Amino acid sequence: MKTSAIFDLPVHLSDNYENWLINRIDNGKFTHVVTMNSEMAMMAQKNPDLAKAIKKADLVVPDGSGVIFYLKRRGQTQQRIAGIELSASMIEKLGKRGKDYPICFYGGAPGVTEKAAQVWLEKLPHANIIYNHGYLSESDLKLWCDSIEQIQPKLILVGLGVPRQELWIQNHRYLAPNAVWIGVGGSFDVWSGVKERAPKFFCDNHLEWLYRLYQEPQRWKRMLALPQFLLKAIF
């Protein structure tokens, strides 16, 4: 797969990430997927552990208008792939295959991941989805890790926020060495109905970040990374 770069971080270019990932699953190859946006790229400049995790990832997907703008400024044409859409597509593909292709949801607040799983099971009644929230005690976390190791999911979605989810995947990849692992941020909140994804107008006009700020005004300090990224992209 063709590789470009955002600052010193890799990003992979493709017109069909889903098929590539399905092929990895069918061949039992461990795959860590990072869905990188401008905020994550800027965070990695100050967080060596996050930067290391991104560089070690098997697939870094351009998720964010700023990342696409950066690539375009450097002569690279690539369509934006939203992490939530890529993850949903993988759930649909594996869910239709049935019980022999377990899917794992981990993260979010108590009750959120369970609700997200219920929503998906209504669409895909033959799917095999295990789930747990991201606020487990040490003893409960050990039991959860034991369950993952025993069940060996084919797809593991981790929604602990950046950079925690990327580091958790790196540190726990041994639990399911033949799975595709994806950091999904707040996707469980959207799938469960706790939060709404930005309307199509905002997505189509590169304003999804603005709608998220409206939903979560406490994120304003983190959003300061966006103009910083834009300046770096231009100059």
Side-chain angles (χ1 to χ4, degrees), residues 39-52:
E39 189 177 338
M40 181 188 289
M42 293 303 297
M43 191 182 298
Q45 303 306 300
K46 300 178 181 179
N47 187 326
D49 291 334
L50 175 59
K52 184 178 179 181

Side-chain angles (χ1 to χ4, degrees), residues 26-76:
D26 288 340
N27 287 281
K29 294 182 178 180
F30 170 85
T31 309
H32 178 191
V33 181
V34 170
T35 59
M36 187 166 64
N37 58 19
S38 307
E39 189 177 338
M40 181 188 289
M42 293 303 297
M43 191 182 298
Q45 303 306 300
K46 300 178 181 179
N47 187 326
D49 291 334
L50 175 59
K52 184 178 179 181
I54 295 172
K55 291 175 183 178
K56 290 178 67 176
D58 303 281
L59 179 65
V60 182
V61 176
D63 176 2
S65 300
V67 172
I68 298 303
F69 175 74
Y70 185 101
L71 294 172
K72 187 175 182 180
R73 291 276 297 179
R74 284 147 186 83
Q76 302 282 359

Side-chain angles (χ1 to χ4, degrees), residues 198-199 201-202 205-217 223 226:
F201 170 82
F202 286 84
N205 290 278
H206 314 295
L207 294 172
E208 198 166 357
W209 63 271
L210 183 60
Y211 190 82
R212 189 168 184 184
L213 182 60
Y214 161 73
Q215 284 187 312
E216 304 175 65
M223 290 295 185
L226 301 183

Side-chain angles (χ1 to χ4, degrees), residues 2-125:
K2 187 176 180 180
T3 304
S4 187
I6 303 294
F7 311 144
D8 58 341
L9 305 170
V11 60
H12 298 98
L13 310 180
S14 173
D15 57 0
N16 198 326
Y17 296 100
E18 292 93 338
N19 282 356
W20 188 84
L21 289 173
I22 290 295
N23 184 65
R24 299 279 290 191
I25 289 174
D26 288 340
N27 287 281
K29 294 182 178 180
F30 170 85
T31 309
H32 178 191
V33 181
V34 170
T35 59
M36 187 166 64
N37 58 19
S38 307
E39 189 177 338
M40 181 188 289
M42 293 303 297
M43 191 182 298
Q45 303 306 300
K46 300 178 181 179
N47 187 326
D49 291 334
L50 175 59
K52 184 178 179 181
I54 295 172
K55 291 175 183 178
K56 290 178 67 176
D58 303 281
L59 179 65
V60 182
V61 176
D63 176 2
S65 300
V67 172
I68 298 303
F69 175 74
Y70 185 101
L71 294 172
K72 187 175 182 180
R73 291 276 297 179
R74 284 147 186 83
Q76 302 282 359
T77 301
Q78 172 64 46
Q79 183 180 1
R80 179 203 170 197
I81 304 297
I84 189 171
E85 294 174 4
L86 175 62
S87 300
S89 176
M90 294 297 294
I91 293 170
E92 289 177 358
K93 289 179 182 295
L94 294 186
K96 290 176 181 177
R97 293 188 178 190
K99 304 297 182 182
D100 293 334
Y101 288 81
I103 300 166
C104 173
F105 289 1
Y106 172 52
V112 169
T113 322
E114 178 181 5
K115 177 61 177 175
Q118 290 172 350
V119 169
W120 274 108
L121 287 170
E122 289 176 5
K123 300 177 183 178
L124 302 164

